[in-house]
Amino acid sequence: MGTVHARSLDPLPMQGPDLGVQADEVDMVEVEPEAKQEVLENKDVVVQRVHIDGLGRTKEDILGYEIADVFAAKNLIDVMKKSHDARLKLLRLGIFKQVEVMIDTSQGGDALPNGLDVTFEVTELRRMTGSYNTMVGNNEGSMVLGLKLPNFLGRAEKVTFQFSYGTKETSYGLSFFKPQPGNFDRNFSVNLYKVTGQFPWSSLRETDRGVSTEFSFPFWKTHHTLKWEGVWRELGCLARTASFAVREESGHSLKSSLSHAMVIDTRNSTILPRKGALLKINQELAGYTGGDASFLKEDFEIQLNRRLFWDSVLSASLWGGMLLPIGDKPSSIADRFYLGGPTSVRGFSMYSIGPQSEGDYLGGEAYWAGGLHLYTPLPFRPGRGGFGDLFRTHFFLNAGNLCNLNYGEGPRAHLQKLAECIRWSYGAGIVLRLGNIARLELNYCIPMGVQSGDRICDGVQFGAGIRFL
């Protein structure tokens, strides 16, 4: 909660030289505990002033929204609670290094007998900060260098430059972030970026240069993001042995798309949850705002987690998506879905399920994947209460399918095709949670339902990432 300083509302000495009498001349009155409780909790108070000390380049008007609730406090306990909430809101703005709170009785000619002054002592972040860290993606790692200009214009704006060098992807980008005053969850951002990625399962290299704008806002229990993206894509072959189907996809294209994402997340952790649920729905429409890529893309993610006996957790998840090309032009290999690997259908190599040509996987226009998991503590609970709690035993059953659809057929034919040639696997292993950053899995997998052209990983398989089926 930070440091909260509060002076007594009635700082009167009960004995000693300040009263001009000796201690033995005073009739001592025993104070009832209930009376003290009444003074602290139920005595009406009025917050007369709120001060913010330590401001430099921060504009005061944006802070008024964060501290407004302090004036509505009715008693001392309420003042302390609302001051603590206001402190958290100030820290959330990302412009202060430290925020301390002091509560004192009001002073001055207009001070009320029950008046209080609340002072927030803040320390602003430096105008420029740098960072160096490592990130774990879906079975890949990267080194990230960042440069930030917090509170750029004095109202919690942020300018960020970031360079990332990874095992499969290299990127750099410049972004501007602006929250709405009084509602940090409602914000606007603009991004400029260049990303170069290598996809060995498709013998493909892709370079994206683009700009995007995003508007995020909460609505009831959901969180929404509206996005426009314009990107110039350059596709090329990663190796001389690339198939003809991949070579056909090589070249330049321009995609301009509008997308919407809705998220409902009640999980207690995004990495290894023990309770709660997740619902994520994405829609993307390309071609109506320019560019030569035209399609409608829908995908969703559902996850349910329930705690069982002996500190075990049962988790069920379902993914699915569909890509519908608009017009006569077929979909691009860069827009299709991919499936398989240690973060989705375990027991198969990375993105090695579905349509392929000469060993290069081309992705599909429709897919689904489901998983059932049981997480339990390690046998005999070694390191309980400490490092051992980061490990969990993992039992799983995964299934899924990826294919292309003939959109001239009806929905029943589509469902029948998705139900054919189902790949599935089962196994067990150990999971390590790396804080709230990522998780590692080491599983023994037994793949089943293998189709011609699929690549499997029969036996031990290692996975690292932030998003798992």
Side-chain angles (χ1 to χ4, degrees), residues 60 82 106 108 117 138 237 246 259 426 428 453:
E60 294 185 6
K82 291 186 182 299
S106 294
D117 290 349
N138 286 330
C237 297
V246 173
S259 63
Y426 64 94

Side-chain angles (χ1 to χ4, degrees), residues 91-105:
L91 288 172
R92 190 185 181 192
L93 293 175
I95 61 179
F96 299 121
K97 181 180 180 180
Q98 187 175 1
V99 178
E100 300 293 342
V101 185
M102 178 177 290
I103 303 173
D104 201 353
T105 54

